[in-house]
Amino acid sequence: MASTETKTTEPTKPVSTALAGVEAGLDALDVVTPTARVPFRRTFVDKILPPIIATVLLLVVWQITFKVVDDPTKLVSPLDVWRTLRDAWLQGELLGYIWTSVSRGLLGFLFALVIGTPLGLVVARVKFVRAAIGPILSGLQSLPSVAWVPPAVLWLGLNNSMMYAVILLGAVPSIANGLVSGVDQVPPLFLRAGRTMGATGMRGTVYITLPAALPGYVAGLKQGWAFSWRSLMAAEIIASFPDLGVGLGQLLENGRNASDMSMVFEAILLILFVGIAIDLLIFSPLERWVLRSRGLLVKS
């Protein structure tokens, strides 16, 4: 007589219980485990020491090159440039050079921000506008900023309006194209979810499109500032006039006219310093905040 085997099966879990477990697991993935405070020694080794070493090496190479060239009209030593910077500081002129250029650059960038942001939204959302002026914006972005200085002088004269016009023509295309790129990368699911909850038209743009497009927009802002700064330096170098004051670009041109290499390198270092400072103080923290808010940058 054949024996029959009795199979015992465990009771299956309800579907709702399984889904709840999956949901809890997904929620756990979103939780960022708090990390201990990074010790100063590690911060110093990872972030502070490398640029110090790079700067020291650069100064050593500079000094060696100066000894090899041995021609003060071609190259000066770091110590000569330091003396020029110190004299400008003691005479109360150094901050004036920096402020003249920085105030123009930041104000021009704000104007470019006000114009480039709505322009980028229109280009990104309206197909006809994108087809009409999208290639023009890309072409303007690749056009060297120095090309705008001669026509701006002829149109507006030697004044601050000319400087701001050159900054706008250099920065607006970058800001607009950055926003267009950010909008193009917004997942369609976000837009459909927003429309389902009533976020249409301007509300959808403010609460859905712009926040989702922030990474591309911030990248466009960063590039827009770089173009603003370069455009301003080109305008100050070419269009020199006593009423405009002495900015960093004018300082560079004065050094060239006087064949003063110490002044030339002074201007170059100040231009570099301002560009790095603006990036470190404004755009890098903004970029890190945007990335961290989206879980793309986690503190280690």
Side-chain angles (χ1 to χ4, degrees):
M1 184 176 178
S3 61
T4 60
E5 295 181 358
T6 303
K7 296 182 179 181
T8 59
T9 59
E10 296 180 358
T12 58
K13 296 181 180 180
V15 176
S16 59
T17 304
L19 291 177
V22 173
E23 183 178 359
L26 293 175
D27 291 340
L29 291 176
D30 292 334
V31 177
V32 178
T33 304
T35 57
R37 185 176 180 180
V38 180
F40 175 77
R41 180 179 179 182
R42 180 178 175 183
T43 302
F44 178 80
V45 172
D46 293 343
K47 297 183 179 181
I48 301 177
L49 187 60
I52 293 177
I53 295 176
T55 302
V56 171
L57 290 176
L58 178 62
L59 292 175
V60 170
V61 172
W62 184 355
Q63 182 65 29
I64 294 174
T65 306
F66 167 72
K67 293 294 185 181
V68 172
V69 173
D70 195 22
D71 186 356
T73 63
K74 302 295 184 182
L75 185 66
V76 293
S77 68
L79 186 59
D80 293 331
V81 178
W82 169 254
R83 293 194 188 100
T84 303
L85 285 168
R86 184 193 59 191
D87 293 342
W89 172 264
L90 295 176
Q91 294 170 8
E93 298 175 344
L94 188 62
L95 293 180
Y97 299 149
I98 297 174
W99 174 247
T100 299
S101 293
V102 170
S103 59
R104 283 177 184 157
L106 291 178
L107 186 57
F109 177 75
L110 290 178
F111 289 153
L113 183 64
V114 171
I115 296 174
T117 300
L119 179 61
L121 282 174
V122 172
V123 171
R125 306 300 293 175
V126 182
K127 293 182 179 179
F128 175 78
V129 176
R130 172 177 287 203
I133 68 173
I136 298 176
L137 285 177
S138 298
L140 291 175
Q141 187 174 357
S142 62
L143 183 68
S145 304
V146 68
W148 289 114
V149 178
V153 172
L154 294 175
W155 293 336
L156 302 172
L158 291 171
N159 50 45
N160 282 320
S161 298
M162 177 273 299
M163 300 281 187
Y164 296 136
V166 174
I167 293 174
L168 289 177
L169 292 169
V172 167
S174 296
I175 295 175
N177 281 331
L179 184 53
V180 171
S181 177
V183 172
D184 289 343
Q185 296 174 19
V186 175
L189 181 62
F190 288 6
L191 303 178
R192 290 198 296 269
R195 286 194 293 269
T196 302
M197 293 183 290
T200 59
M202 185 57 66
R203 289 174 60 87
T205 299
V206 173
Y207 293 105
I208 304 296
T209 304
L210 278 178
L214 269 180
Y217 183 45
V218 171
L221 293 180
K222 193 173 181 178
Q223 190 178 46
W225 163 252
F227 276 89
S228 296
W229 190 238
R230 294 195 303 184
S231 302
L232 177 61
M233 292 302 102
E236 289 185 349
I237 290 172
I238 296 176
S240 59
F241 193 66
D243 292 344
L244 292 174
V246 180
L248 298 179
Q250 180 63 54
L251 180 66
L252 181 61
E253 181 64 9
N254 290 345
R256 185 193 69 85
N257 291 332
S259 298
D260 187 344
M261 288 303 297
S262 295
M263 185 181 296
V264 169
F265 275 94
E266 174 193 19
I268 291 175
L269 291 178
L270 290 176
I271 292 170
L272 182 64
F273 168 77
V274 171
I276 294 174
I278 294 295
D279 180 74
L280 292 178
L281 295 176
I282 299 178
F283 293 104
S284 291
L286 179 61
E287 190 175 32
R288 287 196 300 270
W289 173 79
V290 170
L291 294 176
R292 188 176 293 117
S293 66
R294 280 153 176 74
L296 301 176
L297 182 66
V298 180
K299 292 182 178 180
S300 57

